[in-house]
Amino acid sequence: MSSSDPRRQEIQRYAIRVRGRLAPRWAARFDGMALVPQDDGTTVIDGPVADQPALHGLLRTISDLGLPLVSVTETAPQAPTHARGDQP
């Protein structure tokens, strides 16, 4: 199966850094992504993002909450997902 096969897709991970500290209860607003407070007073919102529209939705949520965006970094992807019946 080629890497361009639409049945096989890597789930990208992102680390989105915002200024301020977010309590763990806010994780539900970010599709259950991990909220990791940093020593510099920022919070990293870390986890898998299904696709570009989902990433834009997360960024829109950050904007709607008035959180100052510091950075968006793509991190190592998770293992590819497979369509039902496919072999890895």
Side-chain angles (χ1 to χ4, degrees):
M1 191 176 302
S2 77
S3 61
S4 63
D5 189 324
R7 294 177 296 166
R8 197 178 167 139
Q9 177 183 19
E10 285 185 338
I11 302 295
Q12 297 300 316
R13 290 186 68 86
Y14 286 87
I16 304 168
R17 184 180 299 264
V18 296
R19 192 163 292 121
R21 295 205 178 233
L22 298 177
R25 65 184 170 87
W26 287 96
R29 294 291 296 261
F30 299 102
D31 296 327
M33 294 176 76
L35 303 181
V36 185
Q38 304 296 301
D39 291 336
D40 63 359
T42 62
T43 299
V44 173
I45 304 165
D46 181 60
V49 178
D51 52 24
Q52 287 293 302
L55 175 61
H56 286 266
L58 288 168
L59 295 174
R60 193 169 25 262
T61 297
I62 289 168
S63 176
D64 290 348
L65 293 172
L67 298 170
L69 180 64
V70 176
S71 66
V72 177
T73 306
E74 184 177 2
T75 59
Q78 290 185 329
T81 58
H82 300 279
R84 283 176 95 174
D86 284 353
Q87 296 295 320

